[in-house]
Amino acid sequence: TAYRRQRQMCIRDRTKAEVSEYTGIPVSTLSWYRHQRKGPPSTCIARRVLYRKADVDRWLDEQFENDPTNTAA
């Protein structure tokens, strides 16, 4: 069901495709960020790049905080 899928998304780590869908950042850009070590923290397990949702959220927050054009108060 949708609830079960949503609950699983909250518990387990995310793939690049899932992070791409969540953030709107293309998978290729996430791959480039990983190569440059400037994207959200990630790890490689069994040849799969995985991200923790909390790390992705923290990284997104940092992007807004460090953006000089950010007008949100």
Side-chain angles (χ1 to χ4, degrees), residues 6-69:
Q6 183 180 10
R7 181 170 159 74
Q8 287 175 341
M9 288 291 288
C10 293
I11 295 170
R12 66 179 179 77
D13 294 335
R14 309 299 195 275
T15 64
K16 276 193 277 188
E18 291 168 336
V19 171
S20 174
E21 183 178 334
Y22 178 68
T23 62
I25 299 171
V27 171
S28 59
T29 302
L30 288 171
S31 296
W32 178 249
Y33 283 171
R34 180 172 160 76
H35 175 72
Q36 294 293 311
R37 297 180 184 216
K38 63 185 247 181
S42 60
T43 190
C44 189
I45 299 174
R47 292 196 231 173
R48 292 181 58 181
V49 175
L50 298 173
Y51 300 84
R52 289 184 179 140
K53 183 177 183 302
D55 289 341
V56 174
D57 288 338
R58 188 176 314 108
W59 180 79
L60 286 171
D61 288 342
E62 289 170 2
Q63 302 315 297
F64 279 100
E65 291 170 5
N66 297 329
D67 183 0
T69 63

